[in-house]
Amino acid sequence: MKRIGITERPDWREKAEEYGFNFHTMYGQPYWSEDAYYQFTLNQIEDIEDATAELHQMCLQVVEKVVNSEELLTKFQIPKHCWEFIRSSWVTSQPSLYSRLDLAYDGKNPPKLLENNADTPTSLYESAFFQWIWLEDQINAGNLSSDADQFNSLQEKLIDRFVQLREKHGFGLLHMACCQDTEEDRGTIQYLQDCAAEAGIPTEFLFIEDIGLGEKGQFTDLQDQVIGNLFKLYPWEFMLREMFSTKLADAGVRWLEPAWKSIISNKALLPMLWKMFPNHPNLLPAYFADERPTDMDSYVIKPLFSREGANIRIIENGREIASADGPYGEEGMIVQQFHSLPKFGDSYVLVGSWLVDDQSAGICIREDRELITQDLSRFYPHIILD
């Protein structure tokens, strides 16, 4: 695993605008970066792929355990009135679309799971589409070997998955929603709409804030059309606490992602994995905060619900070395053994490993000068070359 400098494409900003990648720069800071790339060997990619597949299956075993335990549902801070709704989504095998595991990986040692973005993962468009365009352009420009490849079957697998949702699960019109004033989320939805259209599924976009409640308890769009299938880039932990959460079970909606994903997108997943699979090579020791061993003096404190690194604190040898502010934490905390991200130059590197349904589908690389990866951490492309 190497970080290698490369000449930027002279027209990449124009291409980004042309392809609708409107968030390549955010708040005046570069988000997409292509002055360098990360190079992996095929064996290293296989290490990531194998770990991802195994970790995912372990996460599904956690879901099975949690949905059947009131004690664990309580520990996961899932509201009691939603227990049966979540359990039912699992028992009836409600289908999922995609997710992303965040891994610490240096190319030598086994990848370590830091968290599972199983519910509302972004960075999808740039992972699936824009870094692939970068690879083709740089090969054509002679800046990369013609033998260079990329671990990236995301677009193909997403389209295939939408075909399955249409043919096997009977998905017709699919409403797709995100919050207002979130350009990155809107870009992700637009990309998924394109993939769904390729698969023959018609879509309609609306903002989460515009979903209404019909006379018979169904969710409706702005045209009072009943919503039967809904993809939402909106976290389950928010939805389960809102007023209309009492209507979720009776609304007749098929959700992407399904409600059982609320269990594995919860940081309580991490201590459960460690308890069920102790000393697994792809896991770090993790505990609910009140169960932390007294001899654990280097650890990361994470809220059960946290996004983009918010409210995370890193303790090394009993001293806080990094922290990020945010709105989370009231629901409780977990602790995970501190395992520093690999450092290249002055930046720490995080590998995001994508799954479509249950299949490993590609990776993305995020880089930051701080130890905690956040929403503005830079995105770098990668290649495979032995």
Side-chain angles (χ1 to χ4, degrees):
M1 182 176 170
K2 303 173 189 169
R3 187 188 195 276
I4 300 173
I6 192 171
T7 305
E8 294 187 359
R9 295 170 294 168
D11 60 345
W12 77 258
R13 288 172 182 81
E14 290 79 6
K15 276 200 167 171
E17 302 291 337
E18 178 190 341
Y19 288 127
F21 187 9
N22 300 317
F23 51 95
H24 61 77
T25 303
M26 291 194 274
Y27 312 110
Q29 298 293 318
Y31 165 63
W32 170 268
S33 302
E34 57 173 75
D35 58 322
Y37 62 89
Y38 281 84
Q39 180 175 311
F40 295 81
T41 66
L42 185 57
N43 282 342
Q44 288 169 336
I45 292 297
E46 286 171 349
D47 284 348
I48 294 170
E49 196 172 9
D50 292 347
T52 298
E54 188 167 351
L55 285 164
H56 177 64
Q57 291 304 317
M58 289 155 58
C59 290
L60 297 182
Q61 290 182 56
V62 172
V63 179
E64 174 70 26
K65 195 171 185 73
V66 173
V67 296
N68 291 304
S69 166
E70 292 186 358
E71 180 188 352
L72 289 174
L73 286 163
T74 302
K75 211 153 193 175
F76 274 61
Q77 292 292 311
I78 292 171
K80 191 171 184 178
H81 68 275
C82 299
W83 288 357
E84 188 49 45
F85 171 65
I86 290 170
R87 186 180 292 123
S88 174
S89 75
W90 176 251
V91 171
T92 59
S93 303
Q94 290 300 300
S96 67
L97 183 59
Y98 74 116
S99 58
R100 190 189 77 237
L101 303 182
D102 282 348
L103 305 172
Y105 182 59
D106 61 4
K108 304 176 195 127
N109 298 296
K112 298 288 188 182
L113 178 68
L114 299 181
E115 62 182 65
N116 188 349
N117 298 276
D119 185 18
T120 58
T122 50
S123 304
L124 179 69
Y125 166 85
E126 51 273 38
S127 299
F129 182 75
F130 204 68
Q131 72 166 338
W132 183 259
I133 297 294
W134 168 86
L135 176 70
E136 291 184 330
D137 286 349
Q138 293 289 32
I139 289 173
N140 291 336
N143 293 328
L144 286 175
S145 163
S146 59
D147 294 330
D149 199 358
Q150 197 173 83
F151 181 34
N152 189 358
S153 59
L154 263 166
Q155 182 159 301
E156 170 193 326
K157 283 189 167 71
L158 284 166
I159 293 168
D160 287 349
R161 182 59 175 155
F162 277 121
V163 169
Q164 289 174 6
L165 292 173
R166 177 172 58 82
E167 294 181 348
K168 186 176 167 187
H169 299 280
F171 272 66
L173 175 65
L174 177 62
H175 283 79
M176 306 187 94
C178 67
C179 289
Q180 294 173 4
D181 304 320
T182 51
E183 193 166 24
E184 185 182 3
D185 288 4
R186 184 67 189 94
T188 302
I189 294 271
Q190 181 62 58
Y191 175 66
L192 285 168
Q193 284 184 274
D194 292 344
C195 291
E198 284 279 323
I201 291 182
T203 64
E204 282 193 20
F205 174 78
L206 79 166
F207 290 112
I208 283 281
E209 293 89 343
D210 291 334
I211 295 175
L213 195 62
E215 289 179 9
K216 297 179 181 176
Q218 307 122 314
F219 295 129
T220 56
D221 63 17
L222 287 171
Q223 287 73 46
D224 291 327
Q225 185 174 209
V226 171
I227 297 171
N229 306 297
L230 180 63
F231 174 89
K232 62 10 103 303
L233 265 188
Y234 189 65
W236 272 115
E237 66 260 25
F238 293 177
M239 292 178 66
L240 299 180
R241 283 162 174 72
E242 289 171 359
M243 193 166 57
F244 72 80
S245 63
T246 56
K247 310 292 184 186
L248 287 168
D250 300 322
V253 177
R254 277 192 301 190
W255 300 90
L256 287 175
E257 298 296 330
W260 56 262
K261 284 282 192 90
S262 64
I263 292 170
I264 53 174
S265 61
N266 186 316
K267 302 296 188 301
L269 167 75
L270 300 170
M272 281 299 299
L273 283 170
W274 186 250
K275 192 171 188 178
M276 291 171 66
F277 306 97
N279 302 310
H280 189 282
N282 300 123
L283 295 177
L284 294 166
Y287 306 89
F288 290 99
D290 58 355
E291 298 169 0
R292 174 172 68 86
T294 54
D295 60 352
M296 192 183 209
D297 61 359
S298 293
Y299 51 92
V300 183
I301 303 170
K302 299 181 178 183
L304 297 191
F305 310 129
S306 171
R307 296 180 177 272
E308 307 287 7
N311 297 100
I312 284 176
R313 294 168 57 210
I314 300 178
I315 313 296
E316 187 175 32
N317 298 322
R319 185 175 64 86
E320 185 175 294
I321 60 168
S323 65
D325 294 333
Y328 306 101
E330 286 182 13
E331 63 285 343
M333 303 281 191
I334 65 104
V335 296
Q336 184 182 45
Q337 185 183 75
F338 175 51
H339 180 90
S340 185
L341 293 170
K343 198 172 185 183
F344 289 79
D346 63 355
S347 293
Y348 298 96
V349 178
L350 179 76
V351 175
S353 185
W354 293 96
L355 292 124
V356 175
D357 190 20
D358 292 325
Q359 290 186 298
S360 186
I363 60 170
C364 58
I365 308 294
R366 302 289 297 280
E367 199 183 81
D368 204 301
R369 290 185 178 89
E370 303 298 328
L371 268 169
I372 299 171
T373 307
Q374 300 191 61
D375 57 345
L376 293 180
S377 299
R378 299 175 304 282
F379 186 108
Y380 274 89
H382 78 277
I383 69 166
I384 309 170
L385 192 64
D386 278 319

